[in-house]
Amino acid sequence: MPADPLHRATGPQRSANSPPSPGSAASAVEVRRSARRRRTVSAYREGDRTVVLIPARMSEAEEQRWVNVMLDKLAAQESKRVLGDSELSERAQRLSEQFFDGRARPTSVRWVTNQNTRWGSCTPSEGSIRLSHRLQGMPEYVVDYVLLHELAHLLVPGHGPRFWRLLEAYPRTERARGYLEGVVAADRLPHLPAAREE
């Protein structure tokens, strides 16, 4: 298993459900085709589902392209909204229920501003989870991954095989780890001074 980036500095005709885009926060995508819709495409969240509305005449290739575009657009809109500590705690509870059968039960989940070399931390003996404020504004699937990572530490200390098996249940683990590794790599790039106007 590669080094852990966390501890280094997502009535109309309906089509079948599509698998979620790796960046989407929803667990399923439902595409609804409409004969009255001519050119416009729109999307919204409906619980754990993302509904994408498209014209009925659209090809399957166009459908898939527009589903990806709309999922990225929704994810970008959602990432601009900052979750408060209570929402973060509720999210952790939902993730624990969805991926760990509710076995990981933190006593507190909150944002902190004193973690500049870690994305998150957990104190299993206290049941507390802290997420770095630097995650605010990142895609939801990345925040979810960090939450799940810390929730997993409530069940398994360390980063052994049992720990990584727990995280295999989250389908966006590799994508989130890659995103975080990219952020770390970008921070290490030399910053060129701004060009002076003459």
Side-chain angles (χ1 to χ4, degrees), residues 94-106:
R94 281 196 309 271
L95 288 167
S96 176
E97 289 168 4
Q98 184 177 356
F99 294 99
F100 302 147
D101 298 321
R103 292 178 295 133
R105 295 186 185 110

Side-chain angles (χ1 to χ4, degrees), residues 55-101:
R57 61 177 175 74
M58 197 172 271
S59 71
E60 285 188 31
E62 289 175 307
E63 173 185 320
Q64 190 56 55
R65 183 176 75 81
W66 276 106
V67 164
N68 290 332
V69 165
M70 298 312 289
L71 289 174
D72 287 345
K73 188 174 180 179
L74 282 174
Q77 290 169 352
E78 291 165 350
S79 72
K80 291 177 185 170
R81 192 174 74 84
V82 175
L83 300 174
D85 287 350
S86 62
E87 292 170 304
L88 198 60
S89 187
E90 290 170 11
R91 190 179 200 125
Q93 182 181 349
R94 281 196 309 271
L95 288 167
S96 176
E97 289 168 4
Q98 184 177 356
F99 294 99
F100 302 147
D101 298 321

Side-chain angles (χ1 to χ4, degrees), residues 10 19-29 45 48 50 71 95 98-99 140-142 144-145 148 167-179:
T10 237
S21 156
S24 76
S27 60
V29 175
R45 302 281 192 214
D48 283 343
T50 301
L71 289 174
L95 288 167
Q98 184 177 356
F99 294 99
E140 286 188 357
Y141 73 93
V142 175
D144 285 353
Y145 167 71
L148 279 166
L167 287 179
E168 285 175 3
Y170 184 58
R172 296 177 193 90
T173 290
E174 289 307 313
R175 184 178 173 114
R177 285 169 55 89
Y179 185 99

Side-chain angles (χ1 to χ4, degrees), residues 38 41-42 61-62 69 72 78 116 183 185 193 196:
R38 296 283 177 231
V41 176
S42 61
E62 289 175 307
V69 165
D72 287 345
E78 291 165 350
N116 293 316
V183 170
R196 290 186 197 171

